[in-house]
């Protein structure tokens, strides 16, 4: 009991040198809460083991423990992840990493004031919607454009503006659900438009649309079925056919393009994804797509098309609730500028990763393999091999397409792979890997080459810790 009395009071601790130094670095309430926790835990330890410690020793211990607690609790929950899964557009990992031009632009606009809603020529209030529009028009050939929070919002806004209280015709083969609860029929309901389904799951003909048109029809809607494919006995109406029907009957056509790629990737063996320009050229009145899928920018919903419809959408009250902030506008404009006057294949990370040459990926994988092989002593019993991987686009695009890539596979003779994968997720930055047949598989494609050295270091560190903790001890978190 007397030993516990050696623990200084909180007020006293706050005055002591090692802790006082922290007072200026942290929010006071936050620091005191952590200090109380540190004291409570040290007290608990002393109670259970009956150790005798002097006041000085206790202060040092409390201070050390406080530092540990502070470093654990003073970082945000959003953390960097190194993506070793080989899935380039991983929705759970924030989709597209931004390119340097977008980051620079974003930093400049976010750090200072900007003309978000100010017309510098007239010196009067301007519109935030004019910013990205001009570049979108130049890049896609559309008459006008508008950016909202995400593609789900873009679809909702389009349906609400044009279809509210009226009928919208959709093929049953396109009543899609996208990950994260985006279902065309539900969005339709929320927009106040009445869904008129035509055709069957595997076959829809242009006559099905034509037969469903009546005086209440507001819109012909087409969704790019980006995350699945109907193969075999199937028939699809081409966008151009639908546009033709719409023109003849004076009904607009809207296409939910999903990914919205601006660069033709067929030279890299990817042919399934129609470009935005192609959709515009085929005459669709409105086209919606995501900013953070194959475009490689920030989360955003982009709408391009006929000026009259875009104007109507801008005036819709709903647009205010779906509007984007200056950071999205800056990151998107920075990304689009890369398409306009830069080198998108090399400077937009998503495109760079998707078009990476297999030999380059193989070289990086071999370097990683050699470094690990050299660093892992024999008695860790880990075999490291360079292997071929089946990478994916992700984000619902190119659902059936596998991109041949390279990676490193680690097999531990006497170890389960899953706890190792967990350990790798717990470091900062986390390294996300695939576990396959009880082996750790790391694909090079979605890992930034600049991080290869760091990845070598962190793998060595984690495997060393696990070798030390043999037999399988805890999964204690560790820090970088
Ligand atoms: C991804 C996708 C959406 C949803 O887009 P978000 O930007 O995630 O809101 C809608 N439709 C299609 C066809 C998609 O591929």
């Amino acid at each position: 009991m007397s030993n516990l009395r050696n623990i200084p009071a909180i007020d006293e601790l706050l005055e002591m040198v090692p802790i006082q130094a922290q007072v200026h670095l942290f929010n006071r309430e936050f620091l005191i809460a952590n200090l109380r926790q540190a004291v409570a835990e040290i007290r608990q330890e002393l109670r259970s083991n009956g150790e005798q410690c002097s006041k000085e020793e206790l202060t040092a211990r409390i201070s050390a423990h406080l530092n540990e607690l502070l470093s654990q609790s003073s970082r945000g929950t959003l953390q960097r992840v190194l993506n070793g899964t080989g899935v380039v557009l991983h929705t759970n990992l924030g989709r597209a990493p931004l390119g340097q031009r977008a980051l620079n632009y974003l930093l400049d606009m976010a750090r200072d004031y900007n003309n978000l809603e100010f017309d510098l020529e007239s010196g009067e209030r301007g519109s935030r919607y004019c910013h990205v529009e001009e570049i979108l028009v130049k890049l896609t050939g559309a008459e006008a454009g508008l950016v909202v929070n995400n593609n789900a919002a873009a679809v909702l806004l389009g349906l609400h503006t044009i279809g509210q209280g009226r009928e919208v015709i959709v093929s049953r083969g396109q009543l899609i659900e996208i990950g994260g609860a985006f279902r065309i029929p539900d969005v339709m309901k929320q927009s106040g438009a009445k869904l008129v389904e035509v055709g069957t799951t595997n076959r829809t003909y242009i006559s099905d649309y034509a037969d469903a048109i009546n005086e209440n029809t507001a819109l012909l809607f087409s969704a790019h079925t980006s995350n699945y494919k109907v193969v075999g006995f199937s028939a699809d109406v081409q966008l151009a056919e639908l546009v033709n029907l719409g023109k003849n009957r004076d009904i607009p056509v809207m296409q939910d393009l999903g990914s919205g790629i601006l660069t033709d990737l067929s030279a890299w063996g990817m042919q399934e994804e129609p470009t935005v320009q192609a959709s515009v050229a085929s005459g669709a009145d409105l086209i919606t797509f995501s900013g953070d899928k194959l475009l490689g920018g920030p989360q955003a919903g982009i709408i391009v098309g006929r000026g009259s419809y875009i104007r109507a959408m801008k005036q819709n009250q709903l647009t205010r609730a779906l509007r984007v902030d200056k950071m999205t506008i800056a990151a998107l404009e920075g990304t689009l500028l890369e398409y306009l006057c830069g080198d998108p294949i090399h400077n937009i990370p998503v495109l760079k990763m998707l078009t990476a040459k297999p030999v380059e990926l193989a070289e990086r994988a071999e370097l990683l393999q050699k470094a690990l092989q050299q660093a892992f002593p024999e008695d860790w019993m880990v075999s490291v091999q360079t292997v071929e991987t089946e990478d994916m686009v992700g984000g619902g695009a190119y659902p059936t397409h596998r991109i041949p890539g390279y990676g490193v596979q680690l097999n531990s003779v006497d170890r389960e792979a899953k706890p190792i994968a967990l350990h790798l997720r717990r470091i900062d930055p986390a390294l996300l890997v695939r576990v396959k047949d009880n082996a750790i598989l790391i694909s090079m494609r979605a890992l930034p080459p600049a991080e290869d050295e760091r990845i070598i270091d962190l793998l060595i560190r984690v495997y060393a810790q696990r070798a030390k903790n043999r037999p399988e001890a805890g999964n204690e978190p560790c820090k970088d």
Side-chain angles (χ1 to χ4, degrees):
M1 203 54 201
S2 62
N3 193 33
L4 293 180
R5 245 185 262 141
N6 280 342
I7 298 178
I10 296 290
D11 283 342
E12 201 182 333
L13 282 166
L14 285 170
E15 298 295 323
M16 289 177 167
V17 176
I19 294 169
Q20 202 190 26
Q22 307 279 29
V23 172
H24 308 286
L25 300 177
F26 294 91
N27 169 298
R28 193 175 168 85
E29 281 70 38
F30 175 72
L31 180 73
I32 290 175
N34 277 281
L35 183 56
R36 281 190 207 287
Q37 189 184 339
V39 168
E41 285 171 12
I42 300 284
R43 176 173 288 139
Q44 192 57 40
E45 269 175 39
L46 295 182
R47 271 217 186 92
S48 61
N49 62 19
E51 257 178 287
Q52 292 298 316
C53 300
S54 69
K55 192 166 171 174
E56 290 68 37
E57 285 169 331
L58 283 172
T59 307
R61 247 167 90 171
I62 289 168
S63 171
H65 191 42
L66 173 66
N67 286 344
E68 249 170 64
L69 290 175
L70 285 172
S71 74
Q72 276 166 27
S73 57
S74 62
R75 65 177 194 207
T77 53
L78 197 60
Q79 237 183 293
R80 273 194 71 204
V81 171
L82 296 165
N83 177 5
T85 65
V87 182
V88 172
L89 286 169
H90 205 303
T91 297
N92 303 143
L93 303 183
R95 288 196 187 151
L98 295 176
Q100 197 56 50
R101 190 189 290 252
L103 290 171
N104 294 346
Y105 208 93
L106 171 59
L107 201 61
D108 284 347
M109 294 310 131
R111 192 176 35 211
D112 294 315
Y113 295 107
N114 55 63
N115 63 337
L116 180 67
E117 288 188 351
F118 189 78
D119 185 334
L120 292 168
E121 283 302 313
S122 66
E124 282 164 19
R125 193 200 152 103
S127 161
R128 75 174 59 214
Y129 298 112
C130 68
H131 294 293
V132 181
E133 183 168 17
E134 211 170 290
I135 303 181
L136 279 174
V137 165
K138 283 186 191 135
L139 286 170
T140 65
E143 284 175 22
L146 173 65
V147 180
V148 290
N149 183 53
N150 55 15
N151 187 29
V155 174
L156 175 68
L157 183 62
L159 292 173
H160 185 268
T161 307
I162 298 173
Q164 194 192 19
R166 298 179 65 203
E167 294 180 1
V168 176
I169 304 177
V170 190
S171 158
R172 287 198 174 85
Q174 297 177 352
L175 292 175
I176 50 171
E177 171 173 325
I178 312 288
F182 175 88
R183 286 179 162 185
I184 296 285
D186 296 340
V187 178
M188 198 74 76
K189 210 171 281 166
Q190 279 166 20
S191 75
K194 181 166 179 277
L195 171 66
V196 176
E197 303 174 26
V198 297
T200 61
T201 307
N202 57 334
R203 294 197 148 206
T204 301
Y205 301 96
I206 192 69
S207 55
D208 294 322
Y209 289 91
D211 293 347
I213 292 177
N214 60 46
E215 69 285 350
N216 221 358
T217 304
L219 190 66
L220 304 176
F221 181 83
S222 165
H224 180 50
T225 54
S226 50
N227 61 354
Y228 78 103
K229 228 180 160 169
V230 178
V231 288
F233 189 66
S234 64
D236 228 359
V237 172
Q238 296 300 309
L239 184 63
E241 280 181 275
L242 204 58
V243 167
N244 202 26
L245 175 66
K247 285 221 167 73
N248 289 338
R249 308 289 288 267
D250 203 19
I251 297 168
V253 172
M254 174 163 138
Q255 185 190 32
D256 172 12
L257 198 47
S259 231
I261 192 161
L262 289 172
T263 306
D264 185 9
L265 290 186
S266 51
W268 286 271
M270 290 185 235
Q271 285 152 2
E272 297 155 50
E273 202 70 25
T275 62
V276 178
Q277 297 91 316
S279 285
V280 171
S282 57
D285 297 275
L286 285 172
I287 299 145
T288 71
F289 52 99
S290 296
D292 56 353
K293 289 186 180 171
L294 287 167
L295 188 78
Q299 178 190 306
I302 302 170
I303 312 157
V304 294
R306 206 75 65 209
S308 54
Y309 294 117
I310 298 284
R311 267 196 301 283
M313 290 168 96
K314 283 179 182 171
Q315 279 155 19
N316 189 328
Q317 282 299 311
L318 201 50
T319 301
R320 175 63 179 82
L322 305 175
R323 83 177 188 187
V324 282
D325 76 329
K326 62 184 176 186
M327 292 194 270
T328 301
I329 291 174
L332 187 58
E333 204 154 61
T335 304
L336 292 172
L337 279 170
E338 193 65 50
Y339 285 92
L340 201 64
C341 49
D343 182 357
I345 293 290
H346 289 105
N347 295 336
I348 305 266
V350 167
L351 299 182
K352 189 178 165 72
M353 290 188 269
L354 286 174
T355 59
K357 291 200 184 77
V359 290
E360 283 165 18
L361 296 172
E363 269 169 27
R364 287 173 57 202
E366 273 159 25
L367 282 177
L368 177 59
Q369 179 214 348
K370 291 211 178 84
L372 294 179
Q373 240 160 13
Q374 266 173 19
F376 288 8
E378 199 113 323
D379 68 336
W380 288 2
M381 290 189 283
V382 185
S383 77
V384 192
Q385 289 165 285
T386 296
V387 293
E388 286 181 25
T389 56
E390 289 197 324
D391 300 335
M392 288 171 71
V393 178
Y398 298 88
T400 53
H401 192 85
R402 293 288 177 279
I403 320 169
Y406 284 89
V408 168
Q409 184 172 309
L410 295 110
N411 289 73
S412 301
V413 173
D414 61 345
R415 300 264 155 172
E416 289 292 323
K418 276 197 177 146
I420 301 175
L422 172 65
H423 199 151
L424 291 167
R425 291 200 303 275
R426 280 181 168 171
I427 52 181
D428 184 16
L431 175 62
L432 201 62
V433 300
R434 269 194 276 175
V435 174
K436 202 180 145 206
D437 303 329
N438 204 31
I440 299 281
L441 184 62
I442 304 167
S443 164
M444 304 313 293
R445 185 177 301 275
L447 291 168
E451 299 286 359
D452 285 1
E453 286 294 323
R454 188 207 287 263
I455 290 165
I456 292 169
D457 286 348
L458 68 84
L459 282 166
I460 293 172
R461 200 148 37 80
V462 166
Y463 273 85
Q465 277 189 27
R466 302 205 73 81
K468 217 166 50 194
N469 295 348
R470 189 180 288 256
E472 212 76 83
N475 296 315
E476 63 291 321
C478 70
K479 295 210 18 118
D480 192 20

